[in-house]
Amino acid sequence: MPTELARAAGTGSSVVVDRCEVCGAAGLEPVLFLGYLPPVNQMRPIGQRPHEQPAYPAELLLCPRCQLVQLGLIVDPAILFPPEYPYTSGTTRILRENFAELQREATSLLGLRGDELVVDVGSNDGTLLESFRAAGHPVCGVEPTLMANLANSRGVRTIMSFFGPAAASRVTAECGRARVVTATNVFAHIEGVHEIVDSVLAMLDDEGVFVTESHYLMALIETLQYDTIYHEHLRHYSLESLSYLFRMHGLEVIHAKRIPTHGGSIRVYAARAGARPVEPSVEQLLAAERQGGPLADRLKAFARRVARSKMELHALLRDPLAGGARMFGVGAPSRASTLINYTGLDRQLLECVVEVSGSYKVGKYMPGTVIPVVDEAALFDEQPELALLLSWHIADELMPKLTARGFRGRYVVPLPQPRIVGGTQ
Ligand SMILES: [Zn+2]
């Protein structure tokens, strides 16, 4: 078990990763460097003159021993996840459907009874726990942001806290031990991963199961989702690296599968070794990962494709923009910050980014730029020639919707292969 790893929490700053967060190995291999990126959730109000702000190096590293792909810098979570952290899982249809499916799958796979406690780590607005509560389960969430209040007001019991040993003790003291602990889209975000797993184990009963959902390294590689690389995402798991981590804690993966959330994630069930049967899905997914060849080689090819996609995007945009076309961005998810900053799309190229009415991002600048985020009405009122889809991983869902709502321009899909699509102009 690695010891003496520097921790960013409480520093008000960041720490450099010089040994693997999971296995402690030194000699981490650089994979890709995307430059210095601003924190994605510190957006300045429109009109404020640009002033000094932090920027953090975004370098991806591969551990040669446990095959974990991890970020080379850990930023203090107090900077990345302030209480007013704006993300709400309940507002996204694909996430709501995924959570309902998780509840059904867990119930049938684990033979859950309605009186067994379900705990969600990083429970956000309580959307996932709502599914379990509707099935009769007692539930408890742990959530560091003000979303905890929203969850509580909906009747989903939620402790407002960062997760760790203290929060775990509080859960067991107040609610007892859990049959299921879930962590969706947070397990790759928290530093001190061994303490996190130990804290989860302390909450689980003997046959308890830990269910994680994380953005999947193989999806990152396959569809060139380098824009999911930013400082909230400390680790990019494969099933192999995740299994390695769990084995260090006496846990065994009993079921794993790919799911569509966030452009491609994995859902992994882990139980105390020997406590539950292992599904064939585990070996199947591991075999599929191995089929792609050595990870170091795949990541080298990935880095070359990332660079090529940037050049191809500029080549694609050169003629229309030089000819005077206007381009608006559509959607301001966190990943848009990486894409815009890495490709260098500045205010002169990208006039504004539109977001849904009521989003807290409207009225702010995109991180690290002076590109304003404005109400989506602007897209339909002003009809720019080009709409750059910053949530490109759902482009096929977005384009017909925007066209049906009256947008007449063409769409720029920046990844994985930059292309301009459709329109009537
Ligand atoms: Zn390692």
Side-chain angles (χ1 to χ4, degrees):
M1 207 65 72
T3 52
E4 298 165 32
L5 289 180
R7 294 283 281 268
T11 62
S13 173
S14 62
V15 294
V16 171
V17 173
D18 48 20
R19 278 185 296 147
C20 175
E21 266 212 280
V22 163
C23 75
L28 301 177
E29 296 162 7
V31 170
L32 175 68
F33 187 72
L34 292 176
Y36 284 73
L37 299 178
V40 293
N41 284 307
Q42 289 184 13
M43 296 170 70
R44 308 290 181 195
I46 292 175
Q48 187 181 79
R49 302 299 308 279
H51 59 270
E52 185 176 302
Q53 68 162 14
Y56 304 106
E59 183 176 42
L60 213 54
L61 305 170
L62 169 65
C63 173
R65 187 196 286 164
C66 76
Q67 302 289 293
L68 178 71
V69 171
Q70 58 206 300
L71 211 56
L73 190 86
I74 302 177
V75 179
D76 188 338
I79 297 172
L80 298 181
F81 305 101
E84 64 278 13
Y85 184 73
Y87 180 81
T88 47
S89 50
T91 53
T92 311
R93 181 185 54 83
I94 190 170
L95 289 182
R96 285 197 308 273
E97 288 174 3
N98 175 64
F99 289 155
E101 197 265 332
L102 165 56
Q103 184 269 327
R104 290 193 299 271
E105 180 185 68
T107 300
S108 100
L109 181 75
L110 308 176
L112 296 183
R113 292 193 325 262
D115 59 346
E116 290 164 331
L117 175 67
V118 178
V119 173
D120 190 23
V121 172
S123 53
N124 197 259
D125 59 5
T127 303
L128 171 58
L129 287 178
E130 191 72 64
S131 293
F132 283 99
R133 197 176 67 132
H137 291 275
V139 299
C140 182
V142 181
E143 167 62 33
T145 75
L146 292 170
M147 288 299 157
N149 295 343
L150 180 59
N152 277 314
S153 71
R154 286 176 177 171
V156 175
R157 179 180 190 147
T158 303
I159 295 169
M160 186 169 159
S161 168
F162 279 103
F163 183 68
S169 307
R170 220 182 122 186
V171 169
T172 49
E174 293 178 15
C175 303
R177 293 222 290 167
R179 176 51 53 100
V180 175
V181 173
T182 52
T184 63
N185 203 32
V186 293
F187 189 55
H189 299 51
I190 314 176
E191 70 171 336
V193 66
H194 295 292
E195 187 177 86
I196 298 301
V197 178
D198 284 338
S199 302
V200 168
L201 272 168
M203 297 193 297
L204 281 174
D205 68 26
D206 291 344
E207 286 167 61
V209 175
F210 182 31
V211 186
T212 62
E213 291 184 359
S214 304
H215 194 251
Y216 188 31
L217 176 67
M218 299 308 159
L220 173 88
I221 294 173
E222 288 158 5
T223 48
L224 215 58
Q225 298 186 56
Y226 73 82
D227 56 342
T228 63
I229 299 169
Y230 48 89
H231 291 88
E232 293 177 16
H233 297 163
L234 299 177
R235 299 175 291 278
H236 296 268
Y237 294 116
S238 60
L239 183 56
E240 184 184 353
S241 64
L242 202 47
S243 303
Y244 189 108
L245 165 62
F246 286 148
R247 275 197 304 274
M248 293 175 79
H249 294 268
L251 285 165
E252 173 175 59
V253 175
I254 59 165
H255 177 49
K257 74 168 183 184
R258 299 184 70 153
I259 53 172
T261 52
H262 308 288
S265 303
I266 41 170
R267 181 187 296 159
V268 176
Y269 291 68
R272 288 183 175 84
R276 286 181 179 266
V278 177
E279 300 289 316
S281 59
V282 179
E283 191 42 49
Q284 283 161 9
L285 197 54
L286 285 170
E289 287 184 359
R290 287 192 290 264
Q291 232 169 25
L295 188 54
D297 295 346
R298 294 180 75 182
L299 290 167
K300 277 197 191 87
F302 168 73
R304 284 194 298 271
R305 286 164 62 215
V306 169
R308 201 167 64 212
S309 79
K310 175 176 175 170
M311 293 186 284
E312 287 173 353
L313 180 63
H314 281 273
L316 188 69
L317 295 174
R318 189 185 58 189
D319 286 347
L321 293 184
R326 301 171 75 192
M327 180 166 71
F328 289 11
V330 176
S334 297
R335 61 196 300 162
S337 175
T338 298
L339 185 103
I340 286 175
N341 282 285
Y342 173 66
T343 59
L345 289 177
D346 56 36
R347 176 88 182 252
Q348 287 67 245
L349 302 173
L350 185 63
E351 200 171 313
C352 62
V353 171
V354 303
E355 251 293 348
V356 290
S357 299
S359 163
Y360 91 101
K361 295 179 181 177
V362 171
K364 311 256 174 65
Y365 289 125
M366 289 299 290
T369 75
V370 289
I371 300 168
V373 181
V374 301
D375 189 286
E376 62 182 350
L379 184 73
F380 306 103
D381 293 345
E382 299 191 32
Q383 298 288 341
E385 285 81 0
L386 297 173
L388 171 68
L389 300 182
L390 295 164
S391 295
W392 59 271
H393 58 295
I394 51 167
D396 292 341
E397 192 180 319
L398 275 177
M399 290 187 285
K401 272 190 198 158
L402 294 168
T403 300
R405 291 175 61 195
F407 177 62
R408 298 190 298 274
R410 293 187 292 165
Y411 300 100
V412 182
V413 183
L415 286 168
Q417 175 65 46
R419 60 198 169 109
I420 293 183
V421 183
T424 52
Q425 282 184 347

